[in-house]
Amino acid sequence: MVYAAAAARRMVDAAERVTVLTGAGISTDSGLPDFRGPKGLWTRDPAAERASNIDVYVSDPDVRRSNWARRAEGALWADVEPNRGHEALVHLERRGKLHLLITQNVDELHQRAGNSEELVVEIHGTTRKVQCLACDYRDEMEAALARVRAGEEDPPCPRCGWLLKAATVSFGQSLNPVDLARAERAAVECDLFLAVGTTLAVSPINMTAPIAVRSGARLVIVNGEPTEFDSLADVVVGGSISEVLPVICGLAALGG
Ligand SMILES: [Zn+2]
């Protein structure tokens, strides 16, 4: 694995435009629970999984009320901080190599770590904001939760009166076509594609990896378990992401 990390590091050193795709694995070391594991959010709380389906959310006021109540009391991810893996990608940006950071995560930890807003594409949205399901109203999640705590069980859109929801892409909702096009373009334009903490199983964003390879980029995969596209990769690095990614991105010394 030291060999693989060293090889990946050399590829990053040689690259000029690195497009990065991150998944849940980079946030695990920040203490974020996954969804479907033994201690996953949905395993422990099946109602939360039902609320993640857009048709159920729209049609069932009980699901919405309990969803808002859970968010308001839970402070779900309030104490979660970025880890060394996130810092490594900030370092990549400071070196002038980061072309685009595409994330499947909805935790905003890349921005909180210090990556520039304009270089981050949240392909599955964010739980830290709310949006209206009818108009283009958008606000901080905290503003909506303040209304819930003040007694509104299912706070409507202040502009048009329709439903508010966390600004995530729920099951049954399409990705933002502008974001998807931007991600695909960045896959074509990069000379190195770095996939981190994702099994590359979620379509269509996983296809950015083969798109990059087809366009001539090198592919480095950093993940604790096998991925769909390991066979396409120039290097696959296993192990703890918060330990190996700083090495690969030049934030930590090799073997240090
Ligand atoms: Zn609205």
Side-chain angles (χ1 to χ4, degrees), residues 118-195:
E118 61 270 22
L119 287 182
V120 178
V121 167
E122 296 170 308
I123 200 72
H124 293 156
T126 168
T127 57
R128 295 188 184 272
K129 297 190 176 61
V130 289
Q131 66 188 17
C132 175
L133 290 176
C135 74
D136 59 4
Y137 175 82
R138 201 174 156 91
D139 199 357
E140 297 298 319
M141 173 61 78
E142 272 310 311
L145 293 186
R147 293 171 62 192
V148 176
R149 293 189 194 103
E152 291 184 71
E153 292 186 315
D154 185 11
C157 173
R159 191 177 296 163
C160 77
W162 188 236
L163 306 176
L164 291 183
K165 187 182 85 65
T168 52
V169 178
S170 294
F171 292 105
Q173 281 186 299
S174 312
L175 300 186
N176 179 327
V178 174
D179 287 345
L180 183 59
R182 208 177 153 210
E184 289 172 345
R185 190 169 65 241
V188 170
E189 290 170 345
C190 69
D191 57 2
L192 176 71
F193 191 92
L194 178 59

